[in-house]
Structures are given as C-alpha cells and as structure tokens.
C-alpha cells in the first residue's frame, strides 16, 4: 500500500506552493535522516495550499528587497549541529497535563502573567485574527470552482478534495497551527459521510485545538453524548499532538483530557517536543512548522508510519 503524507499550513501568508511544499518535505526528510538514519524514505508528500485563496501576493525571497513587508525572513533552513534534541518530560509537564480547560479568547488565556516577548505577542495577535476570520459566518471566499461561499467552507473543501481521491492509500495528515482546526473539522465531516474512510495517522503540531473557545465552537456545532469533543471517526491508528512548551499558540499543550476516544478507541496522545527553529535574528521560534517537522519524536513517528 502506497504511503502518503499530507501537510496543511496555517492561515498566515506563505511563499509559493511548490517552494512551501519543498520546504516541508525537506524538513521531514532532514529529521528522518538525522534522527533515524533513514536516508531515502519512500512516500508521496502533498501540500494542501490555500494561501492563494487568502492573499493576493505570496511572500518572496528576492535579494535586496528585505525591507518589503512580503519578504520572508523565516524560510526553511537546516538545523544547527546537535540542535535536534529529544524532549525530556519532567514533573512540571505532568502538572501541566492535569490543568483544566483554558477558557476565553486566545489572547486572554495567555497574555499578561506569562510575560510574552514580542514574537509571541505577534503570533497571538495573528492567530486571534485567523480565528475570527475562520469562524466569521459572513466572510466569503471564491473557491477553485469559481463559486463564492463561506470562507470556512472553501478552506475545508481544499483539504476534502485532496483527501477523497487518496482512499485506499496509507495516509498521514500533518496539520500545523490553524490548519489543525480545519483538518479536525474536515475529518469529523468525513466521518459523518463515510465512516469507513481510513486516515491512518492524524498529527497536529503547534495546534490551538485545546483552547476553550475552539472546543466550545466544535461542541455547539455537533451532537455529543458523554464527552464534548472526540477523535474523528476516520482516524484508525493514531492521533498525536506535538507541542513545544514555549509555543504560545499551543498554550494548552495537553489535550488528551479534552478529546474523548472515537468508536475504535483511538484517543489523542500528547507529546512534548523542542522546536529548534531560530530566526535570522537568532530568536527561537517555537511555533515554526519546519522545526516541528524534524523533531526526533515526530521523525520516529513518521518512521513507524512508513513501516521502515
């Protein structure tokens, strides 16, 4: 059975599709090589891309135009020597895992007492805007079919239309940031329409799914009995949520207690990681997708998924 890894990015602006796809695939292969000594992995990578539906112009890397607001100052770059370190879970993580739901807005949940730096503050402002955009019932987008529909539905359709033709192949879906909310919604809808459709592994990285605001939205839109939210029916083997403790978007890093198991007993597993990505200014960026994709924990997970 062919193995396919599907990636979904967040809602912030991005570079051109092929470049973003190449960077994601390179980061995955870098992790497999450095962490698992897998040098020639056999899988198909597909990037689900909605940047061009949301922004008129992509980010660029044109030399001499680094003053441009669209200049991408956070490209993929190879990890520094010895930077890929496995997270050593301690007692504090066990305490964090037992903390209850984080309610309110994404900003109110984490701002103030945490003393966020400017990068974290910018991230949270961006995600607050993304959340408002995604859940806005009046926000419209023109899809690839030329039809103007609710923006949320257009974004969901992009992933749905990518997954459906892949039925019968061994599938892993890696969803980053706001892309994890879209992915969750798509998988839940897919389970309603075709419960036997297998998405073997669901991976969320830097995800805000644990926030009370998001869970409340999920709960209000669907009918549940004993638990407010649960693993999508179509996830047949594993759902693993990877989070860096310093990632402000994944501030509720332990979501196992928030999402119940599906009918097959599959329940989210929380795994803490260290995101090594550093900006050109030397600032660690714990939310960056490339850093998540090459962590030792996710590399080992992908290796097991590929059955190497």
């Amino acid at each position: 059975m062919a193995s396919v890894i599907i990636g979904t990015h967040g809602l912030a602006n991005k570079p051109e599709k092929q470049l973003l796809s190449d960077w994601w695939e390179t980061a995955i292969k870098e992790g497999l090589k450095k962490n698992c000594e897998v040098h020639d992995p056999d899988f198909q990578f597909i990037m689900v891309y909605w940047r061009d539906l949301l922004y008129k112009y992509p980010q660029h890397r044109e030399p001499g135009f680094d003053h441009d607001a669209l200049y991408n100052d956070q490209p993929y770059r190879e990890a520094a020597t010895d930077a890929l370190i496995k997270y050593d879970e301690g007692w504090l993580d066990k305490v964090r895992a037992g903390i209850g739901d984080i309610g309110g807005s994404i900003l109110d949940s984490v701002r103030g007492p945490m003393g966020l730096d400017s990068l974290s503050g910018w991230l949270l402002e961006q995600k607050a805007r993304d959340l408002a955009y995604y859940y806005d019932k009046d926000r419209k987008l023109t899809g690839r079919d030329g039809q103007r529909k609710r923006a949320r539905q257009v974004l969901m359709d992009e992933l749905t239309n990518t997954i459906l033709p892949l039925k019968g192949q061994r599938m892993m879906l890696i969803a980053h940031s706001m892309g994890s909310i879209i992915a969750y919604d798509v998988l839940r809808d897919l389970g309603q329409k075709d419960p036997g459709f297998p998405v073997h592994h669901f991976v969320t990285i830097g995800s805000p799914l644990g926030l009370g605001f998001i869970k409340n939205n999920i709960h209000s839109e669907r009918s549940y009995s004993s638990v407010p939210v649960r693993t999508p029916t179509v996830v047949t083997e594993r759902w693993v949520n990877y989070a860096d403790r310093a990632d402000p978007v994944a501030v509720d890093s332990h979501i196992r207690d928030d999402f119940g198991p599906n009918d097959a007993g599959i329940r989210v597993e929380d795994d803490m990681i260290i995101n090594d990505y550093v900006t050109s200014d030397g600032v660690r960026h714990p939310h960056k997708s490339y850093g998540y994709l090459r962590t030792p924990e996710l590399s080992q997970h992908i290796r097991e998924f590929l059955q190497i």
Side-chain angles (χ1 to χ4, degrees):
M1 182 185 296
S3 295
V4 181
I5 298 177
I6 304 165
T8 66
H9 63 78
L11 298 189
N13 199 5
K14 295 288 182 287
E16 294 285 358
K17 181 178 182 178
Q18 189 58 57
L19 181 58
L20 182 65
S21 179
D22 289 346
W23 282 348
W24 269 57
E25 185 172 356
T26 300
I28 290 171
K29 290 182 175 179
E30 179 189 0
L32 287 170
K33 178 180 178 180
K34 293 181 176 179
N35 300 317
C36 305
E37 296 186 355
V38 174
H39 295 271
D40 190 22
D42 183 18
F43 66 90
Q44 178 187 7
F45 180 74
I46 300 175
M47 187 89 243
V48 178
Y49 188 78
W50 35 63
R51 192 285 315 161
D52 56 330
L53 298 172
L54 298 166
Y55 299 91
K56 187 172 183 178
Y57 302 109
Q59 293 179 322
H60 68 82
R61 290 285 294 168
E62 290 293 328
F65 289 90
D66 57 354
H67 59 282
D68 185 353
L70 290 176
Y71 182 78
N72 183 4
D73 61 351
Q74 296 171 15
Y76 165 81
R77 55 172 63 89
E78 188 173 350
T81 304
D82 300 326
L84 302 182
I85 303 170
K86 190 171 183 180
Y87 186 86
D88 183 15
E89 184 171 295
W91 67 269
L92 182 58
D93 299 299
K94 295 179 175 62
V95 172
R96 285 166 60 88
I99 294 175
D101 291 348
I102 298 177
S105 73
I106 192 170
L107 294 178
D108 294 338
S109 299
V110 297
R111 178 164 288 177
M114 288 183 65
L116 298 174
D117 58 24
S118 59
L119 175 59
S120 297
W122 178 86
L123 275 171
L124 293 174
E125 294 283 0
Q126 176 69 50
K127 299 313 161 191
R129 289 194 297 270
D130 292 347
L131 282 167
Y133 183 97
Y134 184 66
Y135 286 113
D136 184 353
K137 295 181 179 179
D138 296 322
R139 178 72 64 172
K140 304 292 184 181
L141 268 181
T142 301
R144 302 204 192 280
D145 58 2
Q147 306 223 357
R148 194 156 181 82
K149 296 176 282 191
R150 185 179 172 186
R152 178 181 178 183
Q153 188 60 55
V154 170
L155 297 174
M156 290 175 62
D157 287 347
E158 284 296 296
L159 178 53
T160 301
N161 293 337
T162 299
I163 288 179
L164 288 178
L166 299 173
K167 187 173 184 178
Q169 299 188 56
R170 185 162 174 78
M171 199 181 314
M172 171 184 276
L173 173 59
I174 303 178
H176 179 239
S177 194
M178 281 290 299
S180 66
I181 301 175
I182 301 170
Y184 181 87
D185 286 343
V186 167
L187 295 186
R188 290 292 292 129
D189 281 357
L190 186 57
Q192 295 287 328
K193 298 172 184 175
D194 186 358
F197 192 109
V199 175
H200 301 86
H201 288 231
F202 181 33
V203 174
T204 46
I205 56 177
S207 172
L209 273 170
L211 292 170
F213 169 76
I214 295 168
K215 290 181 294 186
N216 289 340
N217 272 280
I218 295 171
H219 184 264
S220 67
E221 295 170 349
R222 305 179 187 277
S223 299
Y224 295 92
S225 54
S226 59
V227 293
V229 286
R230 64 183 182 88
T231 300
T233 301
V234 297
V235 179
T236 60
E237 294 182 15
R238 298 181 73 187
W239 172 11
V240 185
N241 179 62
Y242 295 96
D244 186 305
R245 279 187 56 195
D247 185 345
V249 178
V251 61
D252 189 352
S253 56
H254 294 80
I255 65 174
R256 180 178 174 85
D257 292 338
D258 302 324
F259 290 80
N262 61 16
D263 292 339
I266 306 301
R267 188 169 187 176
V268 62
E269 309 163 43
D270 294 310
D271 204 346
M272 304 298 293
I273 58 87
I274 298 174
N275 189 325
D276 76 284
Y277 189 87
V278 177
T279 68
S280 57
D281 297 328
V283 178
R284 191 165 87 89
H285 194 325
H287 184 62
K288 202 68 185 174
S289 58
Y290 315 127
Y292 271 106
L293 292 169
R294 63 191 178 202
T295 56
E297 292 84 354
L298 182 49
S299 295
Q300 181 60 34
H301 183 169
I302 294 173
R303 179 185 181 183
E304 293 170 1
F305 163 75
L306 296 176
Q307 301 175 336
I308 298 174

